[in-house]
């Protein structure tokens, strides 16, 4: 197995060997930025960065990464360098999807697909909860969001809710009509259901 020490010994012209090495351990942010820029021209940058990520005790700039950069990847998440040389999450996950917005850029196709997959899984989980309740209007809308016809339980709940809404609307309309004509509203009308029609009393 080739180690980083083997690579540095066998690779000529490494920036950290041809330039003052103190630059890579400077406390100056501008000097650290210069060291990072030099690292991006190094043929073993990736190997050097991986070594630093695997060994938390190393200090300074390694493979174009600072200690602060590397700290975010100590959990072993896959990483990459973007076109500007920044240490980033490897694309294709929900975390990387949100990271795109942090960098003020649109998510790539792989990250967008990962986000949609998680969103679909969450909607199906919620749909299972609604089914356990015997179906609901929420379940009906979740069916629509996942792009499938509603099941009989959720469809029935939606139809029942729509019918109840129509009855309430009709009741309110009748109540307004009675109020406009000066007739008192019955208790049934106030509660949203049309009052039953009463027969007219005949004069004796």
């Amino acid at each position: 197995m080739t180690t980083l020490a083997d690579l540095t010994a066998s690779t000529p012209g490494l920036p950290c060997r041809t330039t003052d090495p103190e630059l890579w351990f400077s406390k100056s942010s501008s000097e650290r930025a210069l060291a990072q820029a030099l690292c991006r021209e190094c043929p073993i940058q990736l190997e050097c960065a991986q070594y630093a990520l695997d060994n938390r005790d190393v200090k300074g700039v390694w493979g174009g990464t600072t200690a602060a950069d590397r700290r975010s990847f100590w959990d072993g998440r896959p990483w990459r360098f973007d076109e500007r040389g920044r240490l980033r999450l490897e694309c294709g996950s929900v975390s990387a999807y949100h990271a795109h917005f942090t960098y003020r850029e649109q998510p790539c196709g792989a990250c967008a697909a990962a986000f949609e997959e998680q969103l679909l899984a969450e909607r199906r989980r919620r749909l299972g909860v609604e089914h356990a309740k015997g179906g609901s209007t929420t379940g009906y809308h979740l069916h629509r969001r996942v792009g499938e016809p509603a099941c009989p339980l959720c469809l029935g709940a939606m139809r029942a809710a729509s019918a109840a809404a129509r009855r309430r609307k009709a009741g309110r309309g009748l109540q307004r009509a009675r109020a406009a004509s000066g007739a008192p509203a019955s208790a049934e009308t106030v509660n949203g259901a049309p009052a039953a029609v009463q027969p007219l009393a005949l004069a004796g």
Side-chain angles (χ1 to χ4, degrees):
M1 178 180 178
T2 304
T3 64
L4 182 62
D6 295 332
L7 288 173
T8 55
S10 60
T11 307
L14 298 179
C16 57
R17 295 296 179 88
T18 58
T19 310
D20 182 4
E22 291 301 317
L23 191 66
W24 276 259
F25 301 93
S26 174
K27 294 182 179 180
S28 167
S29 59
S30 59
E31 290 186 347
R32 288 197 303 272
L34 175 58
Q36 288 179 282
L38 292 172
C39 284
R40 288 195 283 272
E41 302 173 1
C42 179
I44 61 171
Q45 179 191 6
L46 296 180
E47 292 82 0
C48 187
Q50 186 64 66
Y51 174 84
L53 286 165
D54 293 340
N55 296 273
R56 299 184 182 182
D57 58 334
V58 298
K59 309 296 183 183
V61 175
W62 289 70
T65 68
T66 64
D69 294 332
R70 299 189 295 270
R71 196 173 296 118
S72 300
F73 291 87
W74 280 354
D75 57 3
R77 290 180 296 173
W79 56 274
R80 66 183 175 92
F81 285 115
D82 66 11
E83 64 279 358
R84 294 175 58 183
R86 297 173 298 192
L87 188 64
R88 300 270 300 271
L89 279 172
E90 185 67 55
C91 286
S93 69
V94 176
S95 295
Y97 172 88
H98 293 296
H100 279 291
F101 295 105
T102 301
Y103 289 95
R104 298 183 179 182
E105 59 191 25
Q106 289 299 310
C108 65
C111 289
F115 178 77
E116 289 296 328
E117 182 179 355
Q118 185 199 53
L119 187 61
L120 178 61
E122 173 59 18
R123 285 172 175 168
R124 289 203 175 280
R125 183 195 68 77
R126 291 172 55 197
L127 191 54
V129 172
E130 299 306 316
H131 285 163
K133 298 176 183 177
S136 67
T137 56
T138 299
Y140 174 87
H141 292 297
L142 285 169
H143 278 294
R144 298 289 298 272
R145 285 183 174 274
V146 301
E148 64 187 21
C151 69
L153 291 174
C154 293
L155 183 59
M158 189 63 185
R159 285 175 173 170
S162 297
R166 288 194 296 271
R167 287 195 298 271
R168 287 193 297 271
K169 183 177 180 181
R172 287 192 295 268
L174 184 56
Q175 184 179 357
R176 286 193 294 269
R178 286 180 178 273
S181 65
S186 71
E188 290 183 349
T189 301
V190 171
N191 292 330
V197 177
Q198 300 296 327
L200 295 175
L202 299 176

